[in-house]
Amino acid sequence: MGRLFALVLVMFLLSGCNKSETLVAWEKTYGAGEARFIRVTADSGLIACGRSSDQPYLVRLDENKMVVLDFNAEVPGTFTSAWFDTSGYITGGSTNGKMLLMRHSKTGNILWEKSIDSGFNIDQTQLLNLGNGTFLAIGSASPDTIYENNSGLLFFSFDSTGQVLEELEYSSGDFVASYDASLDNSGNIYLALTRKEAFSKSVASVAKFNNQYQRIWELELANNPDYGAAALTVLHDGSGVVYVAGRTQLPSESGGMNNSFLASVSDAGSLNWKKYPENSNSGTALLLNSGGEVMMLNINCFIVSKLDAEKGDDAGRIRMFDVCDPYNTDAMASDFDITSDNYLVVAGTLGGGFYLAVRAVK
C-alpha cells in the first residue's frame, strides 16, 4: 500500500511539471518559428504574424479557429506588425536587415512589396494607421542586438497603394532602438526607446514625437549605471496617460536579474508611477481592460500582470499555465489581445514553434 501511494505521489508531482491543458481553451502551433503579433478581428476570428520556417508568415483564422488564409513571404525574415480590413492586409517586418512592407488582397495575392534599406540594421517594423488610407512604418534594430554606432529609427509613411509619402531617418547617441509605438488623438507618436552610450549600460525611456517626427520630450525610466534596461512596449490611453513597460536589471545573488517594469507617464512627460510586477521577466505588450486596469503581458511563461491604471496598485495576475518557471522556460510571449467575451488571445513561441493560444480571463 505504501509503495502504491508513493507511486501515485510521484506521478502527481511529475504531471505538475508540464503546462496544464485546463487553463488554455485553445492552442495551436504553426511550424517552427515565433508569433510576434496578434489581433482579434471584427468577425471574432484572429490574425497573427511572425516567422515560420525562417520566413515572414501571416495567418488569418475564423471564429472557429480554422485557417481562412495564410502565406509565407518568399524571403528570409519576419513580420512584426500587421493591419487589415475588408480589402486585405498590410504587413511590416524585416528581411536581411531591411524594412519589409507587403500589401496583400483579401484572398492573399501580393499587390505590392517594398524592401527599404536605411543604412542601419532593422529587425522590427511597427505599423501605425494614420487614417485616410495612410500609414506610418517605424523600423528599428532590436533592443537586444549587438550595439553598434550605426543605428537609428526609420520613419516611413506611405498609402495603401504603396506610394511613398515621406522617409526620414532619426539617430541619437551611440545606439537607439524602438520596439513599439502608439498614437494619440492628435497624431503625436509615443515611442518605447532603448538607448546605449559607449561604455555604459542600456537605458529605458519613453519619448513623444509630433507628426513631423520631431522629438518633443523624452523621459528616462530606468537608468541605473550598474544594470541595463530596455523599454519594449508603449500604449497611449487616449485621454492623456501613456503606459510603458519593459525590463530592468536588479541586483541578485547571481549578480543580476531581469525584472519587468510598468510605468504610467503623463502625455506632458512627467512620471505618475512605476512598478516592478514580475521577477525574472520582461513586459512585452499592454492592454487596458474595462475594469480600469492596465494589463501587461510578460515574456516568460505568458504571465499577465494586472495593475490599477490610476495608482499602479497590484490587481492580480493571470497565468496561461499552472506550472511554468520563468527562470527556465521555452514558453515566450510576444503579444496579446482580448475578445469581446473576455478571452485573452496570446502569441509567442512554445518549444520553438509559432504559437497561438486562447485563455478565459478569470
Side-chain angles (χ1 to χ4, degrees):
M1 183 67 179
R3 290 181 179 178
L4 177 60
F5 174 79
L7 178 60
V8 170
L9 178 61
V10 169
M11 293 178 65
F12 172 79
L13 292 175
L14 288 175
S15 67
C17 295
N18 298 318
K19 68 182 184 65
S20 170
E21 300 297 334
T22 60
L23 300 182
V24 178
W26 173 89
E27 61 183 345
K28 181 73 173 179
T29 300
Y30 298 86
E34 177 187 16
R36 292 288 303 276
F37 170 95
I38 191 166
R39 290 293 181 273
V40 179
T41 60
D43 59 0
S44 300
L46 299 176
I47 184 171
C49 65
R51 170 180 51 84
S52 181
S53 301
D54 294 322
Q55 293 177 311
Y57 177 67
L58 182 140
V59 60
R60 173 78 179 264
L61 308 176
D62 65 18
E63 61 180 338
N64 297 314
K65 309 301 181 294
M66 302 299 292
V67 175
V68 175
L69 175 145
D70 68 340
F71 56 81
N72 283 94
E74 294 182 357
V75 293
T78 185
F79 287 141
T80 55
S81 185
W83 173 88
F84 56 95
D85 68 2
T86 55
S87 67
Y89 311 86
I90 297 175
T91 48
S94 67
T95 179
N96 295 320
K98 301 176 183 179
M99 176 183 285
L100 177 65
L101 297 173
M102 299 185 73
R103 171 70 159 158
H104 286 77
S105 71
K106 62 181 180 181
T107 57
N109 295 321
I110 298 177
L111 301 179
W112 54 259
E113 178 179 350
K114 295 183 184 297
S115 178
I116 302 101
D117 188 353
S118 65
F120 49 79
N121 189 62
I122 290 179
D123 300 307
Q124 158 91 12
T125 297
Q126 176 72 16
L127 288 177
L128 297 175
N129 183 5
L130 302 179
N132 299 317
T134 62
F135 300 86
L136 174 65
I138 304 174
S140 167
S142 165
D144 294 323
T145 195
I146 297 174
Y147 298 117
E148 300 174 350
N149 290 331
N150 189 21
S151 72
L153 310 179
L154 174 62
F155 295 92
F156 188 88
S157 62
F158 60 97
D159 67 17
S160 58
T161 69
Q163 179 181 355
V164 179
L165 303 177
E166 192 172 4
E167 183 176 350
L168 177 71
E169 293 182 5
Y170 171 84
S171 60
S172 177
D174 282 354
F175 177 87
V176 61
S178 176
Y179 228 38
D180 197 17
S182 184
L183 289 172
D184 66 15
N185 297 328
S186 300
N188 296 303
I189 306 161
Y190 299 83
L191 299 179
L193 293 180
T194 302
R195 293 185 174 277
K196 188 177 186 298
E197 301 298 336
F199 309 111
S200 66
K201 299 291 186 178
S202 57
V203 173
S205 67
V206 58
K208 179 179 181 178
F209 287 70
N210 63 21
N211 57 13
Q212 301 299 311
Y213 317 129
Q214 299 166 326
R215 191 181 68 174
I216 300 173
W217 54 255
E218 183 171 345
L219 176 67
E220 291 187 355
L221 297 170
N223 57 1
N224 188 318
D226 296 324
Y227 300 96
L232 301 178
T233 183
V234 61
L235 175 67
H236 191 279
D237 74 346
S239 60
V241 180
V242 186
Y243 297 97
V244 191
R247 67 170 179 270
T248 183
Q249 289 183 325
L250 295 178
S252 70
E253 293 181 358
S254 61
M257 175 180 65
N258 284 337
N259 240 50
S260 62
F261 78 84
L262 174 57
S264 168
V265 178
S266 76
D267 58 11
S270 61
L271 181 67
N272 298 322
W273 51 259
K274 183 169 62 173
K275 304 292 182 178
Y276 302 91
E278 293 290 334
N279 292 332
S280 189
N281 231 316
S282 305
T284 187
L286 294 168
L287 285 175
L288 291 169
N289 66 21
S290 59
E293 297 166 342
V294 55
M295 304 173 70
M296 179 181 70
L297 177 66
N298 292 273
I299 293 177
N300 296 344
C301 295
F302 291 78
I303 296 170
V304 176
S305 304
K306 299 192 296 180
L307 287 80
D308 177 79
E310 182 179 357
K311 299 180 180 180
D313 295 338
D314 183 8
R317 65 165 61 96
I318 301 169
R319 294 185 178 275
M320 289 294 295
F321 314 127
D322 62 349
V323 177
C324 185
D325 181 3
Y327 294 86
N328 182 24
T329 181
D330 62 2
M332 313 291 284
S334 297
D335 196 18
F336 71 152
D337 200 1
I338 192 165
T339 68
S340 59
D341 53 353
N342 217 27
Y343 278 79
L344 284 179
V345 298
V346 298
T349 181
L350 180 67
F354 183 110
Y355 177 73
L356 307 180
V358 178
R359 187 213 194 279
V361 177
K362 295 180 181 180

